[in-house]
Amino acid sequence: LAVQLLEGLLRAAARGEPADRVPDEFIAGVRRSLAGLDPAAADVVRMASVLGRTFAVDEMAELLAPRHDHASVATGVEAALASGLLGTLGHRIGFRHDLVRETVYGALSDGARRRFHRGCAAFLIDGGHSPLEAAPHARLSVTPDDEACVRILRDAAEEAVPALPETAGKLVTEAFRLLRPGSRTWRETGEHCVDVLGRVQRAADAVHLAQTLLRRTSEPEATARIQVLMSRALWLTGSLGDSVDRIGRVLALPGISPALRARLEAARALALTGHDATAARAVAPAALQQARAVDDREAMVLALQAVGEVGRNSGHHVDAMTAFRELRQLEGVNHVAGEIIELQLLDRYEESEALIAAALADARDEVEAVRPSLLSAQMWHDFNLSRLDDAESGARALISMSQELGGHVYELDAVVVHASVCALRGEWEQAKRLVADRESRSKADDGIRKPSLRLMRGWFAAAEGRPADAVDILAPVLYTARESRTCWPWWPGWTRLLLAIGTAAGDERFAKEALTLAEEGAARNPGIASYEGIAYQTQGLARADLTLLERAADTLGRSPRPELQAGGAADYGKLLAARGRRAEAAVHFDRAWAIYDRMGARPAQDSLHRAARKAGIRRPEWSAGAGNARPTHGWAALTEAETRVAALISAGHTNRSAAAELGVSPNTVGTHLRSVFAKLDVNSRVQLVNAHRNRTDETFGIR
């Protein structure tokens, strides 16, 4: 066979043919060897090509029964070994080279291939192997309405959900498509498909399939089950009003069991959190109590999520974290993101980072195991800690993933973070484009979409010197904050900006409302430096009170959020300067400047620079460092995170291993890498390695 392979390659080269295909001489040689075997030996070789791994004689006998008895198989194995097609590998038997296996497999008829794959699938399942191992064989042997293979694919999808969500979605969708609507298990498989698609956050696909099932379903219990499953997907798409209406109609149907009724009530409570917050506050605790009473796990999952959302949207973050923590303990990594966000809002970033790291480790370096919810939690973690480069990369990756899966809620979060990073850097036009594009394209309900995007537009108007317009834009969000339909007004930092906008516009009512909201945020989260510090800060600014601003600077200095630290120091320094206490003001200006400089927050630096000059404080080094924009191309254009990724990839790391090294998701590494390619004008990893080597050589004077 080796001679036939080499001679075939030489002849192909002589004829000018490409050398990337197996020569005809080699294929003919394998087929002649196979044709010289008796039927049992030939079946051994064919089955081995389908099995795709080494085997023992007993295993092959089981695979080929009842077509051949054990003695015939044993004799056939010896003949296959003698032919050279198979070889011994330790105590097991397999092909001596993959080319031989591929050639044998390619010669099988479609019917024989399906028959052998079906035998492999049954053998693996009967032998106690996982459905995920048997699924490739089941997929290649299946015929329409083949319920045995459909069951294997469904079980494999269920097994894949925790670590391989994309695979899970593909397997369960394939299983459903194999069945016709009249099939005995069509609806059952369809419900399972909606369930899995919802759990792996393929929201748009789950909604579409649920609608298909509902059109063919009239029985109340089945309708209720499908509607509960659909509600999870509608939550991810932000279509909460639709979900509330649908659930209400199903609840009116007779003959729904207590467990399903509890699930419907919990799903309705969750949808109401972004649709009618007053109703949500009333029904979410009752839904949780009902779920506990009937001891239904799925109802408890939905109700706990509803209670957590109510707490977050009303600024009661300890209550929210308690609910999300119980949810995570009940459901594991699928619901870890809610707890991570609450830890961040409670200034507990070390715990947040530990949970993110644990969740990424649970993903076992599988790219697809990092769900949008976890990527969102990591993005917020980076943004809140002013790691703007990492936050931007995470936002880009999340936007791409959300658009693919149809999860508009996480996409909106990512757009807000991306636009905020641009605004903090002074890239206002890009920030405005991002928000305008999302406002025109988002399919989420207004209650989900408008508050966050309104806040961004108000910020832009204020930055352009139009505080009155900013007040008009922001008033609907500020004055409805206590309705708790959204968490945005309670997010640390916004109330300080809202107060400044109201003051600049001369709108006392608006400014007072912002101050009251900051005070209520601190009261609802006692002992949390970010909230208490902002309350002191807004009080001090509203009253021009040095004592309160000093307390704010001290309290925010204990916050883990650099932007808040800098803001507290800057505001205190500005009032000190206005009172003629220049030496003290300079200390706080220097502190704020250093933080803003690390962040790359150019507008904040410019504002600080103007205040210092007005007070007669001279800092020549500020002028040298301010406003130096990063180049757009070349190594100097790379962010710190991109530079680290470029170095790791150039050293031979894969995206997965680089992600593990950096403690981020593989999706984030991929986003960094695409940016590196664009900035360095390279198109492949090989070109990146060469560029990195050339840069290193030049750095050390090597020619």
Side-chain angles (χ1 to χ4, degrees):
L1 290 173
V3 169
Q4 290 163 351
L5 178 63
L6 292 171
E7 288 181 344
L9 291 172
L10 288 170
R11 290 192 186 98
R15 293 192 297 265
E17 297 174 356
D20 58 353
R21 60 183 294 271
V22 180
D24 293 338
E25 291 85 347
F26 179 83
I27 295 173
V30 170
R31 289 179 174 173
R32 280 196 300 272
S33 297
L34 190 60
L37 298 175
D38 63 46
D43 277 351
V44 166
V45 176
R46 294 185 182 110
M47 179 61 85
S49 76
V50 170
L51 183 62
R53 62 177 180 80
T54 61
F55 60 90
V57 174
D58 288 346
E59 291 175 325
M60 184 56 67
E62 188 174 343
L63 280 163
L64 292 176
R67 187 180 180 89
H68 301 288
D69 60 31
H70 193 287
S72 297
V73 170
T75 303
V77 168
E78 292 299 325
L81 289 169
S83 74
L85 293 173
L86 298 180
T88 55
L89 302 169
H91 296 291
R92 298 178 68 80
I93 299 160
F95 283 95
R96 301 177 69 177
H97 197 283
D98 273 346
L99 280 177
V100 181
R101 187 193 70 79
E102 291 166 8
T103 301
V104 173
Y105 186 83
L108 291 173
S109 67
D110 290 342
R113 189 175 293 140
R114 279 198 300 271
R115 185 176 71 250
F116 284 130
H117 275 299
R118 182 181 297 276
C120 288
F123 164 74
L124 290 170
I125 293 297
D126 293 345
H129 293 262
S130 74
L132 204 51
E133 289 181 77
H137 293 293
R139 294 175 69 188
L140 292 169
S141 69
V142 74
T143 55
D145 293 332
D146 185 340
E147 295 189 357
C149 285
V150 165
R151 171 51 63 185
I152 292 174
L153 294 178
R154 285 179 57 185
D155 291 345
E158 193 65 38
E159 182 185 350
V161 166
L164 300 166
E166 186 177 344
T167 298
K170 289 177 179 177
L171 287 170
V172 78
T173 301
E174 187 171 349
F176 179 67
R177 287 174 178 168
L178 288 167
L179 298 174
R180 288 172 288 203
S183 300
R184 183 176 59 87
T185 60
W186 180 80
R187 192 175 70 191
E188 175 195 334
T189 303
E191 290 181 30
H192 185 225
C193 190
V194 176
D195 179 27
V196 170
L197 291 173
R199 280 187 282 150
V200 301
Q201 299 181 6
R202 280 178 54 178
D205 292 340
V207 170
H208 177 73
L209 178 54
Q211 290 171 334
T212 299
L213 294 175
L214 287 171
R215 284 194 293 269
R216 293 176 172 271
T217 303
S218 58
E219 193 262 314
E221 280 279 287
T223 301
R225 285 196 307 271
I226 297 166
Q227 189 57 59
V228 169
L229 297 173
M230 187 179 182
S231 69
R232 287 201 307 242
L234 289 171
W235 166 261
L236 293 172
T237 66
S239 303
L240 305 187
D242 185 23
S243 188
V244 170
D245 292 343
R246 286 174 173 276
I247 293 170
R249 290 194 293 270
V250 177
L251 280 168
L253 297 175
I256 297 175
S257 66
L260 269 176
R261 190 166 292 278
R263 292 180 198 176
L264 287 165
E265 293 287 4
R268 179 171 172 270
L270 178 58
L272 283 169
T273 60
H275 181 69
D276 184 344
T278 302
R281 285 196 299 274
V283 303
L288 180 57
Q289 185 176 5
Q290 184 178 1
R292 295 192 197 281
V294 299
D295 194 25
D296 185 82
R297 182 190 184 90
E298 187 169 350
M300 282 191 280
V301 167
L302 290 165
L304 283 168
Q305 189 176 355
V307 170
E309 292 293 334
V310 166
R312 177 182 296 166
N313 291 346
S314 62
H316 292 90
H317 295 298
V318 172
D319 294 342
M321 192 192 69
T322 300
F324 283 124
R325 175 159 290 177
E326 184 179 350
L327 180 58
R328 193 251 301 178
Q329 292 169 344
L330 191 66
E331 282 286 280
V333 72
N334 289 347
H335 287 280
V336 71
E339 183 180 354
I340 291 171
I341 294 292
E342 290 308 314
L343 287 169
Q344 294 167 10
L345 291 168
L346 291 169
D347 286 352
R348 293 161 63 172
Y349 283 86
E350 289 185 2
E351 293 175 66
S352 165
E353 192 155 26
L355 269 184
I356 291 171
L360 289 173
D362 283 347
R364 287 175 263 167
D365 288 336
E366 294 289 349
V367 175
E368 62 174 273
V370 182
R371 291 167 169 76
S373 55
L374 181 57
L375 192 57
S376 176
Q378 183 175 30
M379 174 191 71
W380 280 115
H381 184 90
D382 291 332
F383 179 74
N384 294 338
L385 295 181
S386 297
R387 303 169 183 168
L388 300 188
D389 291 337
D390 290 339
E392 181 185 1
S393 295
R396 289 179 183 274
L398 183 55
I399 289 170
S400 176
M401 183 186 291
S402 298
Q403 289 175 344
E404 180 182 344
L405 299 177
H408 304 298
V409 173
Y410 295 119
E411 184 183 7
L412 281 169
D413 280 6
V415 168
V416 168
V417 167
H418 192 184
S420 297
V421 168
C422 291
L424 288 170
R425 291 173 175 161
E427 300 164 354
W428 295 104
E429 291 306 314
Q430 184 179 356
K432 287 192 289 185
R433 282 196 300 272
L434 285 165
V435 170
D437 178 65
R438 194 50 47 213
E439 279 192 308
S440 64
R441 292 173 54 193
S442 178
K443 298 178 182 178
D445 287 359
D446 285 351
I448 298 295
R449 174 168 52 89
K450 282 190 175 180
S452 58
L453 299 182
R454 271 186 178 274
L455 284 170
M456 297 303 297
R457 288 198 293 112
W459 184 9
F460 301 156
E464 293 170 349
R466 299 185 289 112
D469 291 343
V471 165
D472 289 341
I473 294 168
L474 294 167
V477 179
L478 178 60
Y479 292 130
T480 60
R482 287 174 189 77
E483 294 178 9
S484 305
R485 288 176 62 185
T486 174
C487 60
W488 289 105
W490 301 100
W491 212 273
W494 279 114
T495 46
R496 161 53 180 102
L497 178 62
L498 293 169
L499 174 72
I501 290 171
T503 303
D507 192 321
E508 292 184 10
R509 177 172 173 252
F510 188 94
K512 184 177 180 180
E513 186 70 9
L515 172 59
T516 303
L517 201 64
E519 292 171 338
E520 289 186 16
R524 296 178 186 193
N525 299 280
I528 307 303
S530 292
Y531 288 95
E532 291 190 348
I534 287 170
Y536 291 136
Q537 185 182 25
T538 51
Q539 290 168 350
L541 289 171
R543 301 166 192 168
D545 188 316
L546 269 176
T547 301
L548 285 171
L549 284 179
E550 179 183 19
R551 191 177 299 169
D554 289 343
T555 305
L556 289 173
R558 298 194 300 273
S559 166
R561 298 183 58 168
E563 187 187 358
L564 299 187
Q565 297 171 11
D571 284 343
Y572 183 40
K574 289 174 183 178
L575 191 55
L576 283 169
R579 300 286 171 85
R581 295 163 62 174
R582 289 194 302 173
E584 296 170 81
V587 172
H588 293 281
F589 280 173
D590 285 336
R591 183 183 176 208
W593 176 274
I595 295 172
Y596 287 140
D597 195 48
R598 288 195 297 272
M599 290 172 56
R602 301 309 178 199
Q605 285 182 288
D606 291 342
S607 173
L608 205 60
H609 204 179
R610 288 193 297 270
R613 284 202 309 267
K614 183 178 179 181
I617 298 171
R618 303 299 176 206
R619 290 290 187 272
E621 66 274 16
W622 289 8
S623 297
N628 292 335
R630 181 185 286 139
T632 57
H633 288 87
W635 286 100
L638 302 190
T639 66
E640 182 181 347
E642 289 166 354
T643 301
R644 292 196 302 268
V645 167
L648 288 170
I649 298 301
S650 298
H653 279 270
T654 64
N655 285 20
R656 297 179 186 182
S657 63
E661 184 78 14
L662 295 172
V664 299
S665 77
N667 308 71
T668 301
V669 170
T671 302
H672 282 315
L673 193 56
R674 286 191 292 274
S675 181
V676 168
F677 279 17
K679 291 178 180 179
L680 297 183
D681 195 24
V682 299
N683 299 310
S684 68
R685 290 172 183 256
V686 173
Q687 290 180 353
L688 175 60
V689 170
N690 291 334
H692 190 269
R693 183 185 300 116
N694 291 339
R695 181 194 186 215
T696 304
D697 290 348
E698 291 173 8
T699 300
F700 291 99
I702 300 171
R703 295 289 184 268

